[in-house]
Amino acid sequence: MKRTFQMTRYLFVGCLLLSLGISGFAQSPTNLSTNIALTAPAQTDFAPSAFFSSTAQIIAAINAARRAEETQLGLPANSLGNLTLPANYTSFSPNDRALYLINQERIARAGITYPGTTAVQGLPLEATESALINTAQNHASYLVANNVFSHTGAGGSDSFDRVNATYPANCQSGMGYSENIYVACTGSGTTPAFLVEQAIFSWLYRDSGAGWGHRKALLIQNTDIYTSAPLQGYVNDRGSASSEGFLGIGIASTSVGGYSNTCPGSFAGHVVVMNIADPTADASCMFTTSDALPVHLLYFSGASREGKAVLGWSTSWEEGNQGFEVLKSRDARSFEKVGFISGKETSFETNTYGWTDAEVMVGETYYYRLRQLDGNGQTELSKIVAVTVESADHEFFVFPNPSTNGRFTLRTPPDADIHLQLFSTNGTELPIRTTTTRNSVTVTPVHPLPAGLYWIRVLGDQREPQKVLRVLVSQ
């Protein structure tokens, strides 16, 4: 637990609960080295912590934090991209705003290789879920009603007890993380307009006092190796393989002086509880989910193929989606429209898109992003991806991608001495048969692959990793 006074007007306390789990094929982001300080008034009302009164501050704060993370962890400049918010963001419920913001942070790290790790999966959470929202709300209300700030709740329960009680035993996988909690203390009993955003920023970027445990809970993928014993993450065996897990947010506030054990007597307390859970694929389990976004973008990535820049992205569902403008830049700041791909209007199936840019030069780096257009004229920007164009004779790429039957070919440099491994998103290595030619390796899975996302690990002649590639298997 950490306590920090802010300008004698605000107090933040954060706490999370975790348990020991099992090891696995780790693809979660690593920790920061120091807290990221914000500046007032552009990024926060009360420096150095997060106290937001406008969406402009949220955008500025998170983009500044991403740049600081790149510097701290030695990542390429602008590799985490820039946050944008939908024009109607303020009309979202707190749960939908939390889902959007957390997923943007998870997606921003997709494909990033942190020092000493494999590439991050960057899968977004599937949705908020009504029963889990109730669990989070009940604990938030319990905390303020009983003037405590703790993971111990009604009847002496801990967060794992509460999440486990939310669903039948056959409907949820055990995870090493279950809950984050946060409180802001203010001079007014009015709940801050962007309380959930303040909590998320604090958990992600100002969590050194808690050993970055809140950050790990927000960003965990299939496992988290950054604890004394690795923790189990999402098994990702339900629905689309390109998203995973449920989120629930609860918020409760007190009047001035009503939360005296945590906030000084002249302050009011405002509590945020976040619960996460991993649903199973059991068909008998019934969930009530919600995703506020018109398009659920699963991933957006780019690669060099045969001397060209090739982009690919996928959506799990679309509502009123007119399409995607492809934007291109040489400096990651000034973008121009270079293409347009029509959307599926309204679709509740996984859709995959691609676009190839032949107007490039070998050896140069280009930056791309998508602008999604809704039927009502609103737009939303994706993360930025960078593509360094390589000679066609010195690159790996997979085709067809997506594959309709799980069989694919990896194009390789001539006479490359390599070995391939195929993994599911939960880290299980899958048996394969390979056929090698001078410039390629064709991979045939021993067993049929369900639709979803898979990872190819390319090992060199010393059995050392050279590259991690993604392949999507469609229906």
Side-chain angles (χ1 to χ4, degrees), residues 113 249 366 387 409:
T113 301
I249 297 288
Y366 300 86
V387 178
T409 297

Side-chain angles (χ1 to χ4, degrees), residues 213-246:
H214 303 88
R215 173 183 168 90
K216 297 169 189 175
L218 284 180
L219 299 179
I220 189 170
Q221 300 286 302
N222 58 323
T223 57
D224 168 21
I225 65 170
Y226 306 107
T227 53
S228 57
L231 298 180
Q232 175 65 55
Y234 299 95
V235 177
N236 195 17
D237 55 354
R238 172 194 136 84
S240 169
S242 298
S243 63
E244 55 187 12
F246 290 157

Side-chain angles (χ1 to χ4, degrees), residues 410-473:
L410 177 71
R411 175 73 177 268
T412 69
D415 300 317
D417 185 4
I418 61 171
H419 175 72
L420 301 184
Q421 294 174 308
L422 181 66
F423 291 89
S424 66
T425 53
N426 67 9
T428 302
E429 185 173 1
L430 305 173
I432 57 175
R433 300 186 183 96
T434 59
T435 303
T436 303
T437 69
R438 184 172 182 268
N439 294 295
S440 67
V441 180
T442 298
V443 175
T444 304
V446 173
H447 306 294
L449 297 181
L453 184 66
Y454 297 85
W455 296 88
I456 308 160
R457 179 184 282 176
V458 182
L459 303 175
D461 55 0
Q462 301 300 317
R463 294 299 188 262
E464 295 179 355
Q466 287 189 348
K467 205 170 189 66
V468 177
L469 303 170
R470 290 191 279 196
V471 60
L472 189 68
V473 176

Side-chain angles (χ1 to χ4, degrees), residues 140-158:
S141 299
Y142 173 88
L143 294 181
V144 299
N146 290 274
N147 196 16
V148 295
F149 185 74
S150 172
H151 288 291
T152 301
S157 63
D158 65 24

